[in-house]
Amino acid sequence: MANRSHVGAKIFTLPRLTLVLGGAASGKSRFAEDLVRRAPGPHRYVATAQAFDEEMRAKILKHQQDRGEGWDTTEAPYDLAGALTALPGTAPVLVDCLTLWLSNIILAQDIEVTKNQPLRLEFDQLLNALADAKAPIVTVSNEVGQGIVPENRLGRAFRNHQGRLNQAVAAQADLVVLVAAGLPLVLKGQMP
């Protein structure tokens, strides 16, 4: 389902599902926020981050300040599928980010990720919620496979799970955008 906004004589249509990828501090969150802001509100934000330390608290606060007011925020560090399913109406949704959600799931469940088994149940629940959503959804995720190879087994397993999650969401998405140095590159679909 698309969400439309009149900007002058132009109609803005947000795709049903968008995946915004990028490295750390690439500008992916800002790009995703701007994309959602172009659609009519209310704007919904589904946050997956948890503030376990002062550095993360500061990062969350900066994201909140950058985003500004006017966002209806839902915290979903674990049950992202449930949070998406529970959102009412067709107002656009920003999910930031799939990478933190995945790390939360792995740590909370003490999953033996080093065996490199896919997290099928969690992935399937999320993909079903994305497919069934009545609102257009923009998801943000880190592209973790372009850096150095992690030195430990857990790091390499996490990188592989993140890559699989990104591939699954990208396959389902109407629009996939890679952001590098603040610049978007469309990998799939067309920018609205």
Side-chain angles (χ1 to χ4, degrees):
M1 176 164 289
N3 195 319
R4 295 175 183 231
S5 175
H6 294 278
V7 181
K10 295 182 180 180
I11 295 177
F12 178 77
T13 302
L14 193 58
R16 181 192 56 77
L17 178 59
T18 300
L19 172 62
V20 179
L21 294 165
S26 63
K28 64 189 176 297
S29 290
R30 180 166 304 188
F31 175 82
E33 289 165 12
D34 291 344
L35 193 60
V36 171
R37 266 192 210 98
R38 292 176 59 194
H43 301 112
R44 301 188 190 288
Y45 187 92
V46 179
T48 61
Q50 296 184 87
F52 289 123
D53 59 28
E54 194 54 43
E55 179 183 356
M56 195 57 165
R57 277 189 278 285
K59 183 174 181 170
I60 291 169
L61 180 60
K62 177 160 179 17
H63 271 270
Q64 291 169 340
Q65 291 170 341
D66 289 349
R67 206 167 44 249
E69 295 189 24
W71 292 82
D72 178 19
T73 302
T74 299
E75 302 286 334
Y78 304 104
D79 188 11
L80 181 53
L84 292 172
T85 301
L87 289 174
T90 59
V93 178
L94 173 59
V95 175
D96 197 357
C97 79
L98 297 179
T99 306
L100 289 174
W101 170 77
L102 177 60
S103 65
N104 293 340
I105 294 297
I106 289 171
L107 295 174
Q109 296 181 10
D110 196 25
I111 293 172
E112 180 57 50
V113 296
T114 57
K115 293 188 177 182
N116 223 11
Q117 298 297 316
L119 303 168
R120 283 195 185 96
L121 177 61
E122 292 81 1
F123 285 15
D124 287 348
Q125 289 174 343
L126 175 61
L127 294 170
N128 288 336
L130 292 170
D132 294 342
K134 292 178 175 61
I137 298 176
V138 176
T139 60
V140 176
S141 191
N142 285 49
E143 175 50 65
V144 296
Q146 294 181 333
I148 60 171
V149 174
E151 70 177 35
N152 63 62
R153 190 173 178 193
L154 178 61
R156 290 188 299 273
F158 176 79
R159 176 202 57 194
N160 292 342
H161 287 296
Q162 184 66 60
R164 287 185 193 100
L165 177 61
N166 288 346
Q167 287 180 54
V169 175
Q172 196 167 307
D174 303 297
L175 175 64
V176 179
V177 180
L178 175 66
V179 178
L183 301 173
L185 173 64
V186 176
L187 302 178
K188 178 181 179 183
Q190 287 188 321
M191 287 292 293

